[in-house]
């Protein structure tokens, strides 16, 4: 099913993201994780694309498995920064052959120490969106950044580029993680003022590992509100307490988003089915999925 149809046919959607293994040897263990997440009945599962494209085959394998074996809608991430147009064309052909319908079109991070952009290669994600649109048949998503992309001089400039990307053929957007909902609300107002009218999925990262939080914020540019910083300061060195606090914080963030009219939540599971299970259990009646009440945590 196309993500655009999933979003338009359900009042609230909650989807999950997983990432592929870096080596083929670890594929079975990631597939086990994916099966556990699919059992939770999220509205769809997205599968990230390894930086540089090195694990692209694992992304396609996992997406096919989710669709064919687990009968769940899947979204394949695809980044272009390290590929030629011909390479992307052949990946699109393979996706079509595998009946993959949904792509999150990304530029990817610029690989350190390389000349960027190489002549004839991609510079920005909108070029990939254009190519996928011209290829035809896919529902296309893209990334957006409520706090501005780290390379952008300003949030305003980033929004201008986002508008260009959407106009090239995006059907929906997914946000970078954020810990302060007011950041998202302000972004949504500014996006609307730029006539960006496609559905925007709110990306929520349950921060359950104290040691990873500083790194995550540095990579994503997400700011830490003082309420959350106090939690990390207090529990960051105690894994079990941090896990409980991170799940509670993410749950509260999602409840506030839904209470304020947000329809689509995307959970960055970090391949932790138990964390996803706890959050979905907490949301069972809130999102009208009473079977989530029986999820074992
Ligand atoms: P773009 O939309 O091209 O934007 C990149 C920068 O260029 C921005 O600063 C933008 O303002 C600027 N820009 C865009 N167009 C123009 C223009 N015409 N002129 C001048 N400047 C311009 N990375 C992965 O490797 N694999 C993944 O699976 C993955 N999944 C992600 C999922 C989500 C939801 C998000 C938010 C990010 C994900 N990323 C992933 C990270 C992403 O690849 C990086 O953030 C990357 O640096 C930017 O990718 P983009 O597609 O947003 O790029």
């Amino acid at each position: 099913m196309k993500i655009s149809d999933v979003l338009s046919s359900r009042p609230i959607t909650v989807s999950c993201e997983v990432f592929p293994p870096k080596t083929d040897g670890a594929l079975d263990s990631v597939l086990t994780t994916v099966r556990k997440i699919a059992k939770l009945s999220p509205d769809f599962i997205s599968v990230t694309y390894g930086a540089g494209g090195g694990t692209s085959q694992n992304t396609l394998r996992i997406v096919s498995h989710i669709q064919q074996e687990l009968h769940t809608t899947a979204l394949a991430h695809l980044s272009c920064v390290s590929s030629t147009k011909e390479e992307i064309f052949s990946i699109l052909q393979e996706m079509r052959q595998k009946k993959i319908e949904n792509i999150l079109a990304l530029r990817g991070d610029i690989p350190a120490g390389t000349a960027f952009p190489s002549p004839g290669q991609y510079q920005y994600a909108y070029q990939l969106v254009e190519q996928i649109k011209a290829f035809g048949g896919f529902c296309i998503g893209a990334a957006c950044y409520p706090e501005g992309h780290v390379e952008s001089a300003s949030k305003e400039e980033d929004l201008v580029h986002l508008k260009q990307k959407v106009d090239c053929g995006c059907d929906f957007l997914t946000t970078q993680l954020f810990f302060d909902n007011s950041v998202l609300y302000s972004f949504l107002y500014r996006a609307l003022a730029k006539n960006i009218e496609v559905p925007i999925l709110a990306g929520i990262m349950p921060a359950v590992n104290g040691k990873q939080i500083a790194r995550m914020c540095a990579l994503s540019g997400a700011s830490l509100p003082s309420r959350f910083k106090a939690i990390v300061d207090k529990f960051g060195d105690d894994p079990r307490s941090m896990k409980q606090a991170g799940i509670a914080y993410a749950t509260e963030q999602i409840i506030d988003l839904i209470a304020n009219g947000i329809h689509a939540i995307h959970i960055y599971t970090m391949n932790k089915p138990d964390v996803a299970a706890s959050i979905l259990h907490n949301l069972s009646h809130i999102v009208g999925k009473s079977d989530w009440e029986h999820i074992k945590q």
Side-chain angles (χ1 to χ4, degrees), residues 153-210:
S154 68
K155 290 181 191 172
E156 178 60 21
E157 184 190 286
D158 200 33
L159 261 187
V160 170
H161 300 143
L162 181 62
K163 169 72 174 150
Q164 176 192 22
K165 184 160 71 173
V166 169
D167 287 348
C168 287
C170 292
D171 298 298
F172 68 94
L173 297 168
T174 305
T175 74
Q176 180 60 281
L177 63 96
F178 59 93
F179 295 108
D180 180 350
N181 286 358
S182 64
V183 164
L184 181 83
Y185 301 139
S186 137
F187 170 73
L188 293 178
Y189 281 123
R190 288 182 288 111
L192 208 53
K194 282 266 177 303
N195 298 318
I196 295 172
E197 289 171 349
V198 294
I200 298 180
L201 284 65
I204 296 295
M205 166 82 76
V208 293
N209 180 331

Side-chain angles (χ1 to χ4, degrees), residues 17-20 46-53 59 76-81 104-110 116 123-129 142-146 148-155 157-162 164-165 173-177 201 203 219-220 266 268:
E17 179 188 278
V18 297
F19 54 80
S46 75
V47 185
T48 66
Y49 197 79
T59 299
H77 293 207
L78 175 63
S79 77
C80 59
V81 70
L104 193 78
L106 299 147
R107 184 196 67 186
D109 288 326
I110 300 165
F116 174 79
Q123 191 166 5
Y124 299 114
Y126 80 86
Q127 296 160 320
L128 177 61
V129 173
C144 64
Y145 303 84
H149 183 260
V150 285
E151 285 167 34
S152 270
S154 68
K155 290 181 191 172
E157 184 190 286
D158 200 33
L159 261 187
V160 170
H161 300 143
L162 181 62
Q164 176 192 22
K165 184 160 71 173
L173 297 168
T174 305
T175 74
Q176 180 60 281
L177 63 96
L201 284 65
L219 284 175
S220 64
H266 194 56
Y268 297 117

Side-chain angles (χ1 to χ4, degrees), residues 14 22 30 39 53 77 82 113 117 128 130 134 147 153 182 233 253 257 260:
V14 183
K22 291 209 168 73
V30 172
K39 252 187 149 176
H77 293 207
S82 302
L128 177 61
E130 276 178 341
E147 298 185 62
S182 64
D233 286 347
Q253 245 194 303
L257 291 170
N260 283 285

Side-chain angles (χ1 to χ4, degrees), residues 29-48:
S29 114
V30 172
L31 288 177
T32 303
T33 296
V34 169
R35 278 194 285 278
K36 288 183 184 166
I37 289 177
K39 252 187 149 176
L40 303 173
S41 308
D43 288 283
F44 69 87
I45 300 176
S46 75
V47 185
T48 66

Side-chain angles (χ1 to χ4, degrees), residues 87 93 224:
E87 283 164 348
Q93 282 181 313
L224 274 189

